[in-house]
Amino acid sequence: QVQLVESGGGLVQAGGSLRLSCACSRSLFSFSSMGWYRQAAREQRELVARITSGGSTNYADSVKGRFTISRDNAKNTVYLQMNSLKPEDTAVYYCNAVQVGIPKEYWGQGTQVTVSS
């Protein structure tokens, strides 16, 4: 069973920064990609950023230039550095892992990010 444990969420003022971490119980090379999603109240879950096993990244247009996804393979951890935060970034942020070779994915329990204006 794969476990993804997010941390680093909290309350921050607009313009501030947070760094989210996602610790994985298995080697990151077990997954074709790792990602961060978010879900605001009464909204659908949306992709924020994704990084492949080869290091390629993609971002939602709304966070480009402000957020950076990275991975530390030695620590089995994926990060999301969030700068210039806006109130509209307020959401529960979830870590996601897509299994290599089979159509299966895993989710963390989520971490709340609240940006005050």
Side-chain angles (χ1 to χ4, degrees):
Q1 183 70 12
V2 174
Q3 287 189 317
L4 301 173
V5 180
E6 301 101 334
S7 61
L11 173 64
V12 64
Q13 287 189 331
S17 298
L18 284 174
R19 188 177 81 155
L20 305 184
S21 299
C22 171
C24 183
S25 61
R26 192 181 290 180
S27 167
L28 297 185
F29 292 112
S30 301
F31 311 103
S32 57
S33 67
M34 303 287 297
W36 287 97
Y37 286 72
R38 67 186 181 187
Q39 187 168 17
R42 298 175 297 278
E43 299 286 339
Q44 297 218 357
R45 193 172 295 189
E46 63 175 358
L47 174 68
V48 175
R50 179 163 293 281
I51 186 166
T52 69
S53 57
S56 299
T57 59
N58 65 285
Y59 297 91
D61 287 343
S62 59
V63 307
K64 282 181 181 176
R66 300 188 298 122
F67 291 10
T68 303
I69 189 171
S70 61
R71 53 192 286 158
D72 185 330
N73 297 323
K75 295 182 178 179
N76 294 337
T77 301
V78 177
Y79 303 98
L80 185 68
Q81 178 67 43
M82 306 187 294
N83 298 328
S84 303
L85 282 161
K86 304 176 181 180
E88 51 263 44
D89 295 317
T90 295
V92 178
Y93 284 70
Y94 297 91
C95 182
N96 170 269
V98 178
Q99 181 84 47
V100 169
I102 59 174
K104 190 167 185 177
E105 60 181 347
Y106 305 92
W107 294 92
Q109 82 287 351
T111 186
Q112 176 72 45
V113 171
T114 302
V115 184
S116 63
S117 57

